[in-house]
Amino acid sequence: METFQIIQDGDDYLLPVYNRQKIVIMRGEGTHVYDSERMVYLDFFSGIAVNGLGQAHPKVVEAIIDEVQKLGHVSNYYYNEPNVKLAKLLCDVSFAKKVFFCNSGTEAVEAAIKLARKCFRRQGQDKYEIVSFHNSFHGRTFGSLSATGQVKYQEGLDPLLPGIKFATFNNIDSVKKQITDKTAAILIEPIQCESGIRPADPAFMTELKALTQEKGIFLILDEVQTGMARTGKMWAYQYYGIEPDMMTSAKALGGGLPMGALLVTNQAAQGFKPGDHASTFGGNPIVSAASIATIETILVKDLAAHAAKEGEYLKLALMDIQKENQKLFTEVRGKGLLLGMEMTRKAASLVSHCAQQGLLVGSANENVLRFSPPLIITQSDIDQALGKLRKAIAEELKTA
Ligand SMILES: Cc1ncc(COP(=O)(O)O)c(C=O)c1O
């Protein structure tokens, strides 16, 4: 099909919930993707921090082909080997002792909210409130949406799930004010991603952990975007010297295929009994095989350390660019390969200029330019991307 026809049919037949770039991506290899007009792009977006190993990584491709030839889908009424192996592997590389599999980040958050409530109800305690944070993002299904601290995602959709309260990020006093005898859990992103790449302060996370222990409530970390080595450690909580009671994962977890997971301690796991929660596709053997290949590659190649090193290189270079262009940029934030540049204007136009230069980047909270390249990125890729970014900035500066 011609490019214009694909775009026109897309606009005719897809619900218009996205502002898409007029680009049709046809294939990808490693850190690069290719469009229908044979233009090549360096991918510093990774499909919203999903493609940790880049496109078509041989280990992931091999795992998927191997598994799809053996077993497609069986449901959770039976065991399947890749899924069990993956659950064990995730527990080996985290604090967790048990895992629930689903298909997306929002479902992982739903599972966490349900498990927190169910745990207390099972003990005969009427605790159901979840304390979340202003400017957070936890997903689009009703539970996660209700726990998302940004009104723009909720407008016109009420009534939302009752029992969700909001505190100010990095402010422990504000959290304490929201805690009542009904509180079941605190839900937080270690780095608020969609609202502009804002990391939690180490002291705040320590206080939060202490508070949840003191009150006997759950600390739920939403690591949907920050997990899987993206920030330079396997999970962002490992920066803070604390462990959560529950943690959500998704995005990069499935090696490019849809997968979400809720990882929990033995104590939290007590809340769910057979029939309490479920997902038809959760833990599907093909996705599980892709996920195992992804995690094993991260471990074997120590891609967490690589992300930390290359992330620092990219961050320092972005800080130089920020200083040179103070008319456009005010701050560079983030950890590892999850970085944001706060802009003095909306980021959409610069995102388009970057694409025209052959660089895919994203935006967050409208005015933050967002970088989440694959973990396998090289310094040469970064240097090329910076060259493209500088050219895009020059174009952007020509506009008012
Ligand atoms: C921290 C966080 N939680 C949850 C979600 C929702 O994930 P999904 O889009 O897979 O439902 C996202 C998506 O951006 C996220 O960044």
Side-chain angles (χ1 to χ4, degrees):
M1 260 165 100
E2 296 285 335
T3 301
F4 83 92
Q5 194 63 56
I6 298 172
I7 292 173
Q8 191 178 313
D9 284 359
D11 291 344
D12 285 348
Y13 294 107
L14 295 168
L15 261 175
V17 290
Y18 302 102
N19 279 319
R20 296 174 207 267
Q21 304 266 346
K22 304 276 182 222
I23 297 171
V24 180
I25 297 181
M26 303 296 279
R27 69 182 184 91
E29 202 182 324
T31 54
H32 290 78
V33 293
Y34 301 81
D35 77 6
S36 50
E37 301 292 301
R38 295 202 173 78
M39 170 120 176
V40 54
Y41 302 85
L42 250 173
D43 186 1
F44 270 49
F45 192 44
S46 304
I48 327 185
V50 164
N51 304 316
L53 302 187
Q55 296 281 351
H57 191 282
K59 291 278 179 206
V60 178
V61 171
E62 190 190 323
I64 293 172
I65 292 176
D66 189 43
E67 191 54 42
V68 81
Q69 285 173 339
K70 280 196 293 201
L71 189 64
H73 174 78
V74 286
S75 90
N76 284 303
Y77 287 105
Y78 311 93
Y79 294 90
N80 78 75
E81 189 181 347
N83 190 231
V84 174
K85 272 191 182 169
L86 175 61
K88 185 168 183 305
L89 184 56
L90 282 170
C91 291
D92 288 346
V93 298
S94 74
F95 71 97
K97 295 285 182 275
K98 293 216 182 323
V99 184
F100 170 79
F101 288 104
C102 48
N103 316 287
S104 64
T106 196
E107 287 170 80
V109 174
E110 296 288 336
I113 294 173
K114 286 176 78 172
L115 181 59
R117 288 186 170 184
K118 201 83 179 178
C119 272
F120 285 109
R121 293 289 173 50
R122 218 171 256 296
Q123 298 163 13
Q125 295 191 59
D126 190 30
K127 289 180 183 284
Y128 56 86
E129 286 177 359
I130 309 290
V131 178
S132 181
F133 289 87
H134 296 300
N135 298 318
S136 59
F137 183 84
H138 296 293
R140 302 290 195 147
T141 50
F142 265 99
S144 319
L145 180 70
S146 306
T148 288
Q150 299 187 67
V151 178
K152 68 179 179 199
Y153 295 113
Q154 301 168 333
E155 271 164 6
L157 298 173
D158 56 304
L160 299 174
L161 183 74
I164 312 278
K165 300 185 143 196
F166 292 96
T168 305
F169 196 63
N170 282 333
N171 181 334
I172 196 70
D173 290 334
S174 126
V175 181
K176 286 179 181 165
K177 279 190 195 134
Q178 299 303 328
I179 304 274
T180 71
D181 59 355
K182 304 276 183 225
T183 308
I186 296 175
L187 168 65
I188 186 165
E189 297 160 88
I191 299 179
Q192 287 192 330
C193 299
E194 296 301 313
S195 68
I197 321 292
R198 297 171 195 281
D201 294 338
F204 175 66
M205 284 299 251
T206 310
E207 289 171 318
L208 215 53
K209 176 69 190 175
L211 185 63
T212 53
Q213 282 177 317
E214 181 199 323
K215 300 285 178 192
I217 58 177
F218 295 112
L219 177 61
I220 306 170
L221 290 188
D222 185 345
E223 293 237 24
V224 163
Q225 194 153 167
T226 52
M228 295 293 287
R230 167 116 331 257
T231 69
K233 290 196 186 282
M234 193 68 190
W235 312 104
Y237 77 77
Q238 292 164 333
Y239 277 106
Y240 296 98
I242 57 141
E243 286 185 348
D245 303 291
M246 304 186 202
M247 178 178 79
T248 57
S249 176
K251 297 233 187 248
L253 178 63
L257 300 187
M259 171 172 267
L262 176 64
L263 286 71
V264 303
T265 60
N266 269 330
Q267 192 207 348
Q270 310 284 321
F272 278 167
K273 302 282 179 246
D276 282 345
H277 195 49
S279 165
T280 296
F281 290 109
N284 170 291
I286 300 165
V287 192
S288 294
S291 182
I292 293 170
T294 304
I295 296 172
E296 284 179 346
T297 304
I298 289 174
L299 296 177
V300 169
K301 303 272 180 200
D302 200 0
L303 290 178
H306 183 75
K309 182 164 161 267
E310 300 309 327
E312 193 57 24
Y313 181 76
L314 175 60
K315 189 176 186 181
L316 290 174
L318 294 178
M319 285 164 86
D320 284 344
I321 290 180
Q322 183 257 317
K323 281 185 206 119
E324 289 159 22
N325 296 279
Q326 296 191 18
K327 193 178 157 207
L328 271 188
F329 303 107
T330 55
E331 198 186 6
V332 178
R333 295 189 291 261
K335 270 188 163 64
L337 290 170
L338 183 60
L339 298 171
M341 289 179 96
E342 174 126 9
M343 295 187 65
T344 52
R345 56 175 83 171
K346 288 189 177 173
S349 153
L350 183 54
V351 169
S352 295
H353 285 306
C354 284
Q356 281 155 22
Q357 296 298 331
L359 174 65
L360 298 186
V361 292
S363 64
N365 197 29
E366 291 199 340
N367 67 335
V368 175
L369 196 65
R370 176 180 4 187
F371 301 83
S372 52
L375 308 176
I376 54 165
I377 206 88
T378 63
Q379 238 168 61
S380 149
D381 287 329
I382 294 176
D383 290 338
Q384 283 177 48
L386 292 167
K388 291 173 190 293
L389 176 61
R390 284 179 193 282
K391 285 187 189 154
I393 289 170
E395 289 304 312
E396 175 70 18
L397 286 170
K398 288 180 192 164
T399 58

